[in-house]
Amino acid sequence: MKLYGLAADPVEVYRTLRERHGPVVPVLLDGDVPAWLVLGYREVCRVAGDARTFARDCRRWNAWDRVPEDWPLMPHVGWTPSVVFAEGAEHRRRSGALGEALDGVRRPEMALACRRIADGLIDGFAADGRADLVDGYARPMSLLAVAWLLGLPEEDVPELAEEADAARNVTGAVDSCKDAHRRMHARMQRLVGERRYRARDDVPSRLLAHPAGLTDEEAALDLLALLVSAHRPTADWIASALRVVLAGGAFAGEPRGDGDALREALWEDTPVQGVIGRWAVHDCVLGDRRIHRGDLLVLGLGAANADPHAQPDGAAPNRAHLSFGHGEHGCPPPAPELAEVVARAAVAALPDRLADVRLAVPAADLEWRPSPWTRGPAALPVEFTPEC
Ligand code: HEM
């Protein structure tokens, strides 16, 4: 089964695949590079939760000879000495420091900052009577909130926006993606230098002061990982939650809780559909498949959320969703909580400011960005009474 070229509805494709081939499916990634796609809820939990058998360091891969330099998925497997590819005690050192640096963020202060950001963005289009809530709202909202977390000035954000997207663009040109990574890395190195010189009450300063004793380069790499990991999923979460609310006719009609829309978006249209990945440390069996040492496993988080084992009666889910991953390389606490502060502020501000905001096209015409890896609406055109 070729995973590339998969377009509009990965959720449906994954569901069919799981029904036909079981919870672990051999697939071909771009360029016919082989991998295992893990689709079952139990199997994803096992792979993500058992780091002694399924580890994160991509240098274990047994298919490197099949991977060209300009492979489109290189951003996911290009090893760097960052928290993302670290294992064992080194991962605990780096991830622990990052988690504690994030934990120092005062939630009410962040909620206020996010509301200010949301209001500023709405100010930008309120007089127009129409807007695209993906490019005009969800995406800059997420980026400005992450810039706030990192203590970066707002002037840096437009440049950062282009680079953060280029760096994650798995279908774009690999050279421009590498350049974007290099520029963002240089910006993080500068940020670390600035905070070493003069500490502030922010995430980079707390990371540098942490007893784990990160070097400047380790801190720059982990802040870069934070920026890239946080921005797109948070933007997609906001956009998908807004889609749930707007497509349901709420805001303009019967209101529903923001929390419902946020939760529904995580379960049904989770922003990170597939994670590349984990590499088998030794030969083993997973879901009746024989996995060889060095094989690549892709975590199908969207498919796992839709697995009947996660939702036994097809309605009320009695298990935790896997949208933030699972195990030691999952989204590090308290990042999911902080992402929710951003998403909640974004969803709440809109009807407060634009009471009759509604979709400008039928909900059935809304399209998803074509990607098997991430999920979010391609656009959310809305209209409303212009603010004078
Ligand atoms: C403030 C916002 C966020 C921050 C700061 C953040 C930060 C991070 C970081 C640093 C990692 C790498 C962890 C590691 O490898 O040890 C990560 C991984 C991840 N994050 Fe987040 N994140 C944010 C929002 C989100 C959102 C909104 C989602 C999805 C709904 C998400 C889903 C994930 C997933 C699926 C992984 C990878 C899990 C894996 O490899 O198994 N994150 N995040």
Side-chain angles (χ1 to χ4, degrees):
M1 165 75 197
K2 292 187 180 194
L3 207 54
Y4 53 95
L6 254 193
D9 198 352
V11 182
E12 197 43 48
V13 174
Y14 292 160
R15 189 173 292 139
T16 314
L17 273 179
R18 186 165 19 73
E19 279 164 17
R20 285 200 196 139
H21 304 284
V24 184
V25 184
V27 291
L28 295 173
L29 306 180
D30 298 65
D32 287 347
V33 173
W36 296 102
L37 178 59
V38 186
L39 300 168
Y41 185 94
R42 279 192 300 239
E43 289 73 15
V44 168
C45 286
R46 174 161 169 227
V47 172
D50 177 4
R52 277 180 305 184
T53 308
F54 304 103
R56 191 68 185 91
D57 188 332
C58 57
R59 293 172 300 177
R60 298 172 189 279
W61 202 0
N62 58 19
W64 273 117
D65 59 335
R66 314 266 303 257
V67 177
E69 269 288 302
D70 61 349
W71 197 47
L73 298 174
M74 198 52 99
H76 297 260
V77 297
W79 185 84
T80 62
S82 78
V83 63
V84 171
F85 292 109
E87 294 183 356
E90 176 59 4
H91 180 259
R92 285 191 289 282
R93 180 176 85 93
R94 306 281 285 275
S95 173
L98 201 56
E100 284 178 38
L102 285 167
D103 212 23
V105 174
R106 286 179 290 277
R107 304 336 186 238
E109 194 183 320
M110 184 174 180
L112 276 176
C114 288
R115 177 61 198 229
R116 233 183 356 258
I117 293 168
D119 278 331
L121 291 168
I122 295 169
D123 286 345
F125 56 71
D128 301 342
R130 52 199 311 118
D132 168 18
L133 295 182
V134 173
D135 278 350
Y137 190 60
R139 196 165 149 261
M141 174 84 207
S142 155
L143 203 64
L144 284 159
V146 177
W148 180 88
L149 266 183
L150 292 175
L152 286 168
E154 286 195 7
E155 310 83 84
D156 285 14
V157 167
E159 200 185 349
L160 219 54
E162 275 173 37
E163 293 177 355
D165 279 351
R168 268 198 87 102
N169 184 0
V170 293
T171 53
V174 174
D175 282 348
S176 61
C177 176
K178 278 188 188 152
D179 287 347
H181 246 286
R182 257 192 297 275
R183 285 192 299 271
M184 287 203 299
H185 184 191
R187 183 63 189 97
M188 292 304 121
Q189 286 171 321
R190 215 165 74 233
L191 176 65
V192 165
E194 288 159 7
R195 295 302 187 271
R196 270 284 185 230
Y197 179 67
R198 182 166 296 140
R200 285 201 205 158
D201 179 10
D202 62 13
V203 172
S205 306
R206 279 192 292 277
L207 187 63
L208 288 168
H210 193 275
L214 268 66
T215 64
D216 286 11
E217 186 52 13
E218 287 173 340
L221 282 169
D222 291 355
L223 291 171
L224 176 59
L226 186 155
L227 169 61
V228 174
S229 308
H231 164 50
R232 178 52 91 173
T234 305
D236 283 339
W237 188 15
I238 295 169
S240 292
L242 287 172
R243 180 185 165 279
V244 168
V245 181
L246 290 161
F251 286 167
E254 184 125 329
R256 51 185 288 170
D258 307 338
D260 291 350
L262 291 172
R263 260 192 309 280
E264 184 174 330
L266 280 184
W267 271 101
E268 303 292 330
D269 298 303
T270 197
V272 183
Q273 288 285 316
V275 176
I276 306 175
R278 299 293 189 273
W279 285 268
V281 177
H282 48 73
D283 292 359
C284 60
V285 172
L286 179 72
D288 288 342
R289 304 281 188 176
R290 189 156 291 281
I291 311 290
H292 292 289
R293 180 176 170 204
D295 281 359
L296 164 61
L297 297 105
V298 173
L299 305 177
L301 302 182
N305 280 353
D307 186 340
H309 285 109
Q311 310 186 27
D313 60 3
N318 70 348
R319 292 273 188 90
H321 61 70
L322 296 177
S323 302
F324 291 106
H326 175 71
E328 44 189 71
H329 276 279
C331 194
E337 191 197 328
L338 299 181
E340 185 168 345
V341 172
V342 185
R344 203 173 276 284
V347 175
L350 210 64
D352 277 2
R353 292 286 308 276
L354 310 169
D356 63 350
V357 63
R358 60 202 172 269
L359 284 175
V361 297
D365 291 353
L366 292 175
E367 291 183 359
W368 296 95
R369 234 180 23 251
S371 164
W373 308 110
T374 61
R375 184 160 175 86
L380 274 180
V382 291
E383 53 193 14
F384 47 84
T385 306
E387 234 178 40
C388 306

Short mmCIF file of all heavy atoms in Angstrom, two decimals, residues 199-220:
data_model
loop_
_atom_site.label_atom_id
_atom_site.label_comp_id
_atom_site.label_asym_id
_atom_site.label_seq_id
_atom_site.Cartn_x
_atom_site.Cartn_y
_atom_site.Cartn_z
N ALA A 199 18.81 37.38 31.60
CA ALA A 199 17.67 36.46 31.77
C ALA A 199 16.38 37.24 31.94
O ALA A 199 16.39 38.38 32.41
CB ALA A 199 17.91 35.57 32.98
N ARG A 200 15.28 36.63 31.50
CA ARG A 200 13.96 37.22 31.72
C ARG A 200 13.07 36.18 32.37
O ARG A 200 13.49 35.05 32.59
CB ARG A 200 13.34 37.59 30.37
CG ARG A 200 13.94 38.80 29.74
CD ARG A 200 12.91 39.32 28.74
NE ARG A 200 13.54 40.08 27.69
CZ ARG A 200 12.99 40.29 26.51
NH1 ARG A 200 11.82 39.77 26.21
NH2 ARG A 200 13.60 41.03 25.60
N ASP A 201 11.81 36.55 32.61
CA ASP A 201 10.85 35.59 33.16
C ASP A 201 10.18 34.90 31.97
O ASP A 201 9.03 35.18 31.64
CB ASP A 201 9.84 36.38 34.02
CG ASP A 201 8.79 35.45 34.62
OD1 ASP A 201 8.97 34.22 34.53
OD2 ASP A 201 7.79 35.96 35.15
N ASP A 202 10.92 34.03 31.28
CA ASP A 202 10.32 33.35 30.13
C ASP A 202 10.89 31.94 29.95
O ASP A 202 11.80 31.53 30.69
CB ASP A 202 10.46 34.18 28.84
CG ASP A 202 11.91 34.43 28.44
OD1 ASP A 202 12.80 33.78 29.00
OD2 ASP A 202 12.13 35.28 27.55
N VAL A 203 10.33 31.21 28.99
CA VAL A 203 10.70 29.79 28.81
C VAL A 203 12.19 29.62 28.50
O VAL A 203 12.87 28.81 29.14
CB VAL A 203 9.80 29.14 27.72
CG1 VAL A 203 10.30 27.73 27.37
CG2 VAL A 203 8.36 29.10 28.19
N PRO A 204 12.77 30.40 27.54
CA PRO A 204 14.21 30.19 27.26
C PRO A 204 15.09 30.44 28.49
O PRO A 204 16.04 29.68 28.73
CB PRO A 204 14.51 31.21 26.15
CG PRO A 204 13.19 31.51 25.53
CD PRO A 204 12.16 31.35 26.59
N SER A 205 14.77 31.49 29.26
CA SER A 205 15.61 31.78 30.44
C SER A 205 15.50 30.66 31.47
O SER A 205 16.50 30.26 32.08
CB SER A 205 15.17 33.10 31.09
OG SER A 205 15.17 34.13 30.13
N ARG A 206 14.27 30.14 31.67
CA ARG A 206 14.12 29.04 32.65
C ARG A 206 14.83 27.78 32.17
O ARG A 206 15.42 27.05 32.95
CB ARG A 206 12.62 28.75 32.89
CG ARG A 206 11.97 29.72 33.86
CD ARG A 206 10.59 29.22 34.29
NE ARG A 206 9.64 29.24 33.21
CZ ARG A 206 8.95 30.31 32.82
NH1 ARG A 206 9.10 31.45 33.44
NH2 ARG A 206 8.10 30.24 31.82
N LEU A 207 14.81 27.57 30.85
CA LEU A 207 15.49 26.39 30.30
C LEU A 207 16.99 26.49 30.56
O LEU A 207 17.64 25.52 30.97
CB LEU A 207 15.20 26.29 28.80
CG LEU A 207 15.69 25.04 28.09
CD1 LEU A 207 15.03 23.78 28.65
CD2 LEU A 207 15.43 25.12 26.58
N LEU A 208 17.55 27.68 30.33
CA LEU A 208 18.99 27.87 30.53
C LEU A 208 19.39 27.77 32.00
O LEU A 208 20.49 27.32 32.32
CB LEU A 208 19.41 29.23 29.96
CG LEU A 208 19.40 29.32 28.43
CD1 LEU A 208 19.54 30.76 27.98
CD2 LEU A 208 20.50 28.47 27.83
N ALA A 209 18.48 28.20 32.90
CA ALA A 209 18.79 28.18 34.33
C ALA A 209 18.53 26.82 34.97
O ALA A 209 18.85 26.61 36.14
CB ALA A 209 17.96 29.25 35.04
N HIS A 210 17.94 25.90 34.21
CA HIS A 210 17.52 24.61 34.80
C HIS A 210 18.75 23.81 35.27
O HIS A 210 19.79 23.82 34.61
CB HIS A 210 16.75 23.80 33.74
CG HIS A 210 16.04 22.63 34.32
ND1 HIS A 210 16.65 21.41 34.52
CD2 HIS A 210 14.76 22.49 34.78
CE1 HIS A 210 15.78 20.57 35.06
NE2 HIS A 210 14.63 21.20 35.22
N PRO A 211 18.62 23.10 36.41
CA PRO A 211 19.75 22.31 36.92
C PRO A 211 20.26 21.24 35.94
O PRO A 211 21.37 20.74 36.11
CB PRO A 211 19.20 21.65 38.19
CG PRO A 211 17.88 22.27 38.47
CD PRO A 211 17.48 23.13 37.33
N ALA A 212 19.47 20.90 34.93
CA ALA A 212 19.96 19.91 33.94
C ALA A 212 21.19 20.44 33.21
O ALA A 212 21.91 19.67 32.57
CB ALA A 212 18.85 19.60 32.93
N GLY A 213 21.43 21.75 33.29
CA GLY A 213 22.66 22.32 32.74
C GLY A 213 22.80 22.19 31.23
O GLY A 213 23.86 21.77 30.74
N LEU A 214 21.77 22.55 30.48
CA LEU A 214 21.85 22.46 29.02
C LEU A 214 22.91 23.43 28.48
O LEU A 214 23.06 24.55 28.97
CB LEU A 214 20.50 22.83 28.39
CG LEU A 214 19.53 21.66 28.11
CD1 LEU A 214 19.08 21.02 29.39
CD2 LEU A 214 18.34 22.15 27.31
N THR A 215 23.65 22.98 27.48
CA THR A 215 24.56 23.89 26.79
C THR A 215 23.73 24.84 25.92
O THR A 215 22.54 24.59 25.67
CB THR A 215 25.52 23.13 25.85
OG1 THR A 215 24.72 22.51 24.83
CG2 THR A 215 26.31 22.07 26.60
N ASP A 216 24.36 25.92 25.45
CA ASP A 216 23.63 26.85 24.59
C ASP A 216 23.08 26.14 23.36
O ASP A 216 21.95 26.38 22.92
CB ASP A 216 24.55 28.00 24.15
CG ASP A 216 24.79 28.97 25.29
OD1 ASP A 216 24.44 28.64 26.45
OD2 ASP A 216 25.34 30.06 25.04
N GLU A 217 23.88 25.25 22.78
CA GLU A 217 23.45 24.59 21.56
C GLU A 217 22.29 23.62 21.84
O GLU A 217 21.34 23.53 21.07
CB GLU A 217 24.64 23.86 20.92
CG GLU A 217 24.36 23.23 19.56
CD GLU A 217 23.72 24.19 18.53
OE1 GLU A 217 23.71 25.42 18.74
OE2 GLU A 217 23.20 23.68 17.52
N GLU A 218 22.36 22.91 22.98
CA GLU A 218 21.24 22.02 23.33
C GLU A 218 19.96 22.83 23.52
O GLU A 218 18.89 22.45 23.04
CB GLU A 218 21.56 21.26 24.63
CG GLU A 218 22.61 20.17 24.45
CD GLU A 218 23.05 19.53 25.76
OE1 GLU A 218 22.86 20.15 26.84
OE2 GLU A 218 23.61 18.43 25.71
N ALA A 219 20.08 23.97 24.21
CA ALA A 219 18.89 24.80 24.44
C ALA A 219 18.34 25.32 23.11
O ALA A 219 17.12 25.29 22.89
CB ALA A 219 19.24 25.96 25.37
N ALA A 220 19.21 25.77 22.21
CA ALA A 220 18.74 26.30 20.92
C ALA A 220 18.01 25.22 20.14
O ALA A 220 16.94 25.45 19.58
CB ALA A 220 19.92 26.85 20.12
#
